[in-house]
Amino acid sequence: MDERYDVVVIGGGAAGLSGALALSRARRSVLVVDDGTPRNARADRVHNYLGREGTPPAELLALGRAEVAGYGGRFRDGRVEDADRTDDGFRVTLTGGGSVLARRLLVTTGLTDELPDVPGVAELFGGDVLHCPYCHGWEVRDQPIGVLGGAFGVHQALMWRQWSADVTLFLHTGPEPSGDEREQLAARGIAVVPGVVAGLDVDAGRLTGVRLADGQVVARRALVVSPRFVARGGVLASLGLDAAPVEMNGHVVGSAVPADPTGATAVPGVFVAGNVTDLRAQVISSAAAGLTTAAMLNADLIAEDVRLAVAARSLAGAR
């Protein structure tokens, strides 16, 4: 007989563990299924997490798993292949065979950073290749920073100028800055380098320069890029929930699974939290979203519990 849970949480990052903690404390039976591939696995530290500033990502997750387990939450290592609707919930199929039943699903599978196709970028991403100043700006303060041009190149260059006076915008394949933008860049002392970036120069695993197609190398210690943020929505697609394009300033920056402010999706009983539905969420905001969505999910279960109890009482009285 298949194991049965009130809630199966798919994804064991900050959002998933936070939701699992709240649900376990609400005396719900909870199973967390996680494949061990968190988005921030390559980062050295978690930042802007009040009370946990500078904690290694793996350590934060280990602490969270222990807290969930302390309230009876269970874990399964692996990946969910798909989920199917049943009469009273969902059947969740796991990698390697086997399935479990759930009354509700909380999907917190996060997103994938699709990086620019420049040699060296993928290898250094999360180290000397960055995208979020609030995650990594302090760590590269006052160093020579490059910005790889794109739709948001000017915006990023002006933003990262807050952390260093030595910022260079490489136009690469991005648009030519307007007259007003060039004036802004010049006023902030940001150099603009034309030409396509061919690759990165690296020494002992650290970025030393940005190499242009004409052979010129501009010395830099950090490079800022604009990934495309793509929701990991595979299991949701099996339920008919597809990720939708997300636009910022008229440009598609990725995809996310639509949900209302409570985390409820268009499929009754399926909730989402974290980066799978919010591309901007950092670790602490993903954890907060997991808690908020778990409370709404639990309220949904309470309503169902009451409805079933009333129906059972009415049936008993009719006998």
Side-chain angles (χ1 to χ4, degrees):
M1 181 177 295
D2 290 315
E3 299 173 28
R4 183 175 180 85
Y5 298 88
D6 288 323
V7 185
V8 169
V9 179
I10 305 173
L17 290 176
S18 180
L21 180 62
L23 289 163
S24 297
R25 283 176 51 82
R27 308 190 70 179
R28 296 295 179 184
S29 57
V30 177
L31 175 68
V32 179
V33 182
D34 183 61
D35 66 1
T37 59
R39 179 190 180 195
N40 62 354
R42 297 180 64 176
D44 291 334
R45 300 286 187 270
V46 170
H47 298 294
N48 297 312
Y49 200 124
L50 187 63
R52 292 291 182 184
E53 171 62 27
T55 302
E59 180 180 329
L60 184 66
L61 295 183
L63 290 168
R65 287 173 72 101
E67 290 170 353
V68 172
Y71 290 100
R74 300 181 65 183
F75 293 87
R76 187 76 57 85
D77 294 332
R79 183 172 299 179
V80 171
E81 293 292 343
D82 56 47
D84 300 305
R85 171 73 72 178
T86 64
D87 291 340
D88 56 355
F90 304 90
R91 181 180 300 279
V92 179
T93 303
L94 309 174
T95 52
S99 62
V100 296
L101 300 175
R103 294 173 64 189
R104 299 291 185 273
L105 299 180
L106 174 54
V107 181
T108 60
T109 43
L111 62 79
T112 297
D113 296 286
E114 292 188 351
L115 300 170
D117 187 18
V118 173
V121 164
E123 291 78 4
L124 294 183
F125 187 62
D128 292 339
V129 173
L130 316 165
H131 80 280
C132 172
Y134 298 101
C135 301
H136 305 288
W138 175 264
E139 282 63 44
V140 296
R141 65 193 184 281
D142 299 326
Q143 296 183 32
I145 298 173
V147 175
L148 188 66
F152 298 96
V154 172
H155 169 76
Q156 285 185 307
L158 293 170
M159 180 180 295
W160 281 83
R161 176 61 179 79
Q162 173 67 24
W163 282 266
S164 176
D166 187 355
V167 176
T168 295
L169 170 61
F170 297 91
L171 291 184
H172 191 48
T173 59
E176 184 75 17
S178 67
D180 287 345
E181 289 173 333
R182 282 195 176 273
E183 184 175 354
Q184 293 170 1
L185 293 165
R188 291 294 280 158
I190 298 171
V192 178
V193 176
V196 174
V197 172
L200 307 182
D201 280 9
V202 179
D203 183 25
R206 300 300 305 273
L207 177 68
T208 59
V210 175
R211 182 168 21 88
L212 302 172
D214 64 6
Q216 177 188 2
V217 176
V218 180
R220 297 288 92 181
R221 294 304 305 272
L223 180 67
V224 177
V225 299
S226 293
R228 181 182 174 88
F229 308 114
V230 180
R232 295 178 178 175
V235 64
L236 293 167
S238 69
L239 292 165
L241 283 169
D242 293 321
V246 176
E247 289 190 5
M248 294 182 187
N249 299 327
H251 300 281
V252 176
V253 297
S255 63
V257 176
D260 71 13
T262 71
T265 70
V267 175
V270 179
F271 293 75
V272 292
N275 281 147
V276 72
T277 187
D278 181 2
L279 304 187
R280 292 188 177 93
Q282 295 192 26
V283 179
I284 193 169
S285 45
S286 289
L291 168 60
T292 299
T293 300
M296 297 302 101
L297 189 159
N298 187 55
D300 187 43
L301 282 171
I302 288 173
E304 182 175 88
D305 290 339
V306 172
R307 178 178 60 79
L308 293 174
V310 169
R313 187 171 187 271
S314 298
L315 180 62
R319 291 176 179 173

